[in-house]
Amino acid sequence: MQVEQAPSFGDKEEPHPYGTVELAVIGLGYVGLPLAREAASVGLRVVGLDRDPRVVAGLNSGRSHVGDVSDEEVRRMRAAGFTATTDDACLAGAQTVVICVPTPLGEDGGPDLGAVVSATRAVAGRLRPGQLVVLESTTYPGTTEEVVRPLLEESGLRAGKDFALAFSPERIDPGNTQHGLRDTPKVVGGCTASCAVRAVAFYAKFVNMVVQAKGTREAEMAKLLENTYRHVNIALVNELAIISRELHVDVWDAIRCAGTKPFGFQAFRPSPGVGGHCIPIDPNYLSYKVRSSLGYDFRFVGLAQEINRRMPEYVVRRAQDLLNSAGRPLHGSRVLLLGVTYKPDVADLRETPAEPVARLLREREAAVAFHDPQVPRWSVDGVDVPRVGDLTAALREYDLTILLQDHSAYDLPDLADTARLLFDTRGRIHRPGVEVL
């Protein structure tokens, strides 16, 4: 793509004792490490800053801790000059600093910006004229202007005049091999027009398409809109699944039929709940901003949260009914959970609905075990859940098997043939004898 020539900010950069690099990435998790990889792959000199010395030591030894980045890719990054460090002195020698730190929910239901504030203060302490600073951490509209900018300007430098400041929402989808960072359009919003031009020019070096937002607030809102859209539509089909069962309608077939319409419809499918960082967490940021700034609730998000949060309880109730129909109480029954990650073919357990399902089953005094090809060990509320080794034997032995995540490693027809009683919460096995959500 053609990009307008980036403007000059401040004075000419002077060499720094730590070494001059083109990019410093703060936070080397599932967002920051792929960003560092892509930048290094096009020849940019990259340094990564992380507060966890184990992460830093592993990366500098060629070991990855992120599923979407292989050890071999880390070794190639190292060969290209990448280094990881816990020393924020590296920030002063960077032409561009990108903040990719976590923003979990705080006690007030809004984002906990502690890591963002800490990272921004570290940048402010090393800020030099001419630098570009980008926030990628998901947050509510206004964070870049209202939180990050004032902290950076405590340095005495001014955004848009002495340095460039922008927001660019991360769009990393763990486990997605079809759409990576390079071929997923990158949204960028700058504090000023010149800040935006500078940020667009930076990302265009290693992303195929860069989309410029009107400003930082629009870029921040775009991220929340994407995930709130998914959250609300997942809640819609989850409630439809409950209603359809009472109406004697096969909701899966209804979705299949509706999905044949070539316009005006996008298929979402029922599930035992929502997981990961994005869907159950991000819409809360928007709710928080609406409530704190406007004084009323974002009702769509609240309703979606209510529906999606009750799905694990609905799954357990259905499991209990299924066992009762087979002449067994849930109390004392052996229940096997298949797939406990929040999405297929990844090892990510963040906000997985398998956790409340296991908790509810235990509360009803069922004996719970699990199997997951991605997860060697799993605990709920600090107590390990037994992991079965021989899946075939376990399917025959356990009173009920619940498919919570349809990893590609599972032979679904074989599960149906082998399990004593199978409850498919993913709608993948439509055959007699299998209970489907």
Side-chain angles (χ1 to χ4, degrees), residues 318-371:
R318 288 280 301 277
Q320 184 171 4
D321 291 345
L322 187 57
L323 282 165
N324 287 342
S325 298
R328 292 193 58 87
L330 180 57
H331 179 104
S333 288
R334 304 178 70 193
V335 180
L336 175 64
L337 305 180
L338 296 188
V340 297
T341 61
Y342 88 89
K343 66 181 298 186
D345 300 329
V346 300
D348 201 329
L349 291 165
R350 290 175 300 168
E351 304 295 327
T352 173
E355 183 171 320
V357 168
R359 181 181 299 115
L360 290 166
L361 287 170
R362 281 176 166 177
E363 289 175 359
R364 288 156 177 77
E365 299 191 41
V368 182
F370 86 100
H371 179 275

Side-chain angles (χ1 to χ4, degrees), residues 3 39 86 138 146 153 157 162 166 190 192 209 225 227 282 302 315 427 433:
V3 179
T86 58
T138 304
E146 298 166 8
E153 291 187 341
L157 302 177
D162 304 305
T192 66
M209 178 185 293
L225 174 59
N227 288 329
D282 292 1
V315 166

Side-chain angles (χ1 to χ4, degrees), residues 376-430:
R377 182 179 177 182
W378 183 45
S379 63
V380 175
D381 300 330
V383 179
D384 282 350
V385 180
R387 187 184 192 278
V388 301
D390 187 335
L391 177 57
T392 300
L395 290 169
R396 294 186 177 123
E397 294 169 4
Y398 277 73
D399 301 301
L400 173 64
T401 298
I402 305 178
L403 179 66
L404 293 176
Q405 194 53 263
D406 51 333
H407 294 302
S408 60
Y410 287 139
D411 183 331
L412 300 182
D414 185 63
L415 295 181
D417 290 339
T418 310
R420 294 176 62 181
L421 199 57
L422 180 61
F423 181 19
D424 172 15
T425 70
R426 293 291 169 175
R428 295 293 308 278
I429 312 172
H430 294 273

Side-chain angles (χ1 to χ4, degrees), residues 26 99-103 116 134-139 167-170:
I26 304 180
I99 300 171
C100 303
V101 296
T103 48
V116 170
V134 183
L135 177 64
E136 285 206 6
S137 304
T138 304
T139 185
F167 179 83
S168 181
E170 60 89 3

Side-chain angles (χ1 to χ4, degrees), residues 22-226:
E22 288 160 294
L23 171 63
V25 179
I26 304 180
L28 297 173
Y30 80 101
V31 174
L33 191 59
L35 174 65
R37 176 193 61 195
E38 293 302 323
S41 73
V42 297
L44 300 188
R45 292 161 295 167
V46 183
V47 62
L49 175 64
D50 199 282
R51 65 183 181 181
D52 190 336
R54 295 170 298 179
V55 166
V56 168
L59 291 172
N60 287 335
S61 299
R63 299 190 309 274
S64 176
H65 60 290
V66 174
D68 286 349
V69 180
S70 67
D71 290 350
E72 177 58 31
E73 287 174 317
V74 172
R75 289 192 287 269
R76 287 201 294 266
M77 291 168 63
R78 293 282 293 146
F82 170 79
T83 187
T85 181
T86 58
D87 182 5
D88 64 14
C90 68
L91 301 176
Q95 296 171 6
T96 298
V97 178
V98 180
I99 300 171
C100 303
V101 296
T103 48
L105 288 182
E107 293 182 0
D108 59 357
D112 179 351
L113 296 181
V116 170
V117 169
S118 178
T120 302
R121 284 180 172 149
V123 176
R126 306 284 183 175
L127 192 63
R128 294 182 302 121
Q131 285 184 307
L132 165 65
V133 180
V134 183
L135 177 64
E136 285 206 6
S137 304
T138 304
T139 185
Y140 59 82
T143 302
T144 306
E145 288 278 3
E146 298 166 8
V147 177
V148 175
R149 182 174 184 168
L151 288 172
L152 293 176
E153 291 187 341
E154 287 179 3
S155 66
L157 302 177
R158 293 293 174 261
K161 178 182 178 183
D162 304 305
F163 68 95
L165 176 61
F167 179 83
S168 181
E170 60 89 3
R171 282 175 158 178
I172 300 295
D173 185 18
N176 190 330
T177 59
Q178 301 298 315
H179 300 287
L181 193 154
R182 182 182 297 273
D183 55 13
T184 300
K186 199 79 171 78
V187 174
V188 173
C191 283
T192 66
S194 57
C195 290
V197 170
R198 178 76 181 275
V200 167
F202 165 70
Y203 282 109
K205 295 176 181 178
F206 54 89
V207 178
N208 294 342
M209 178 185 293
V210 182
V211 179
Q212 185 173 329
K214 183 178 180 180
T216 58
R217 284 178 169 83
E218 287 73 20
E220 290 161 336
M221 179 66 88
K223 170 67 174 181
L224 300 186
L225 174 59
E226 294 168 12

